[in-house]
Amino acid sequence: MEDLKERIFKVIEKQVEMKEFENWLYSNIQLSERMDEELILQLYIFNYNQQGVDYEFKTLFLSFFEEREFTDWKIIANLETLSEGCKEPETILADFCDLGYENYPYLTSIGYNKYELEDYAYFNRSREQMINEIQEEASQLLAEIKDWLRTHPGEDLSKFESRTKKIDMIPNNFPENVIKTESTSNKWWEFWK
């Protein structure tokens, strides 16, 4: 069942083509013998040639799983993609940024890289250097999550806390004279002094 769930999630994320999934489904004898299960039955009667098939597939088959299951799978799958050296990571980073502001704060740091990546020339680094840094950060976070999951099996990834937190969101090469750690005024309303 785990393989089936992952394949459904991959179709939803467009990592597997709909036609490839359909062919796999019809060639899988073990699944055809389990037609008494609602999910399997729906997979077999689903019209894979209908207009708007991607939307209909996602709407129908995500309802068979908890949102948390899909989100947790997606986080791990996207971290794996980044750690392999994804050359176009912007969409994943944007998702991580959004998830970081919701229930997954440990993704904010890596998601923030989308802003640095947009302006890589300003930071005096090449796009390739930044992608390599993202790859390294994703690999570290993925290893940390997998270690945590070994000791917390079945636990929701929103409960995970990274041991390697970034202190702030200031870019690595931001001029130090711009960073102020103490306020120049004791009280904000005394700005005229």
Side-chain angles (χ1 to χ4, degrees):
M1 189 65 161
E2 200 64 29
D3 185 43
L4 175 62
K5 177 170 67 172
E6 185 167 346
R7 284 182 185 263
I8 290 171
F9 290 169
K10 283 183 175 184
V11 171
I12 291 168
E13 282 295 295
K14 296 185 171 59
Q15 293 177 0
V16 170
E17 294 292 323
M18 193 69 69
K19 200 61 164 166
E20 181 183 337
F21 176 81
E22 184 181 14
N23 291 337
W24 172 82
L25 177 70
Y26 292 134
S27 68
N28 193 318
I29 294 168
Q30 294 167 333
L31 286 178
S32 65
E33 294 170 352
R34 295 170 40 196
M35 292 281 262
D36 56 331
E37 296 175 35
E38 183 65 23
L39 172 60
I40 310 276
L41 179 62
Q42 288 300 319
L43 285 167
Y44 275 99
I45 63 173
F46 185 77
N47 180 359
Y48 293 93
N49 297 314
Q50 66 182 300
Q51 190 172 12
V53 68
D54 293 331
Y55 174 79
E56 295 299 330
F57 187 92
K58 180 179 180 175
T59 303
L60 177 60
F61 294 111
L62 268 184
S63 67
F64 283 91
F65 306 98
E66 292 179 30
E67 184 179 339
R68 173 194 74 81
E69 285 180 277
F70 177 67
T71 304
D72 288 358
W73 173 86
K74 186 175 178 176
I75 288 170
I76 291 171
N78 283 337
L79 283 171
E80 287 171 345
T81 300
L82 289 177
S83 66
E84 292 167 1
C86 178
K87 299 299 178 200
E88 301 291 330
E90 285 83 355
T91 303
I92 293 173
L93 296 175
D95 283 347
F96 282 171
C97 224
D98 293 342
L99 287 169
Y101 289 119
E102 293 173 11
N103 295 324
Y104 304 86
Y106 56 90
L107 293 174
T108 306
S109 173
I110 195 167
Y112 185 79
N113 285 302
K114 80 175 189 166
Y115 300 111
E116 288 190 28
L117 201 55
E118 288 171 358
D119 299 321
Y120 66 89
Y122 172 77
F123 296 111
N124 296 321
R125 291 185 283 171
S126 70
R127 180 175 169 83
E128 186 176 307
Q129 284 175 306
M130 296 187 86
I131 287 176
N132 289 340
E133 290 171 14
I134 292 166
Q135 180 179 2
E136 185 177 318
E137 187 176 348
S139 296
Q140 290 172 351
L141 183 57
L142 181 61
E144 210 177 319
I145 287 173
K146 286 184 175 183
D147 284 345
W148 183 81
L149 285 172
R150 278 191 271 285
T151 58
H152 300 82
E155 196 73 48
D156 184 351
L157 282 182
S158 67
K159 295 179 179 146
F160 169 77
E161 290 186 29
S162 178
R163 294 183 305 264
T164 55
K165 295 179 182 177
K166 283 191 174 177
I167 295 171
D168 52 37
M169 295 301 215
I170 297 171
N172 296 335
N173 65 346
F174 202 77
E176 288 190 34
N177 61 344
V178 176
I179 302 170
K180 298 196 180 344
T181 55
E182 295 181 18
S183 175
T184 55
S185 173
N186 291 338
K187 298 180 181 112
W188 67 268
W189 56 85
E190 294 178 350
F191 66 89
W192 62 86
K193 289 185 178 181

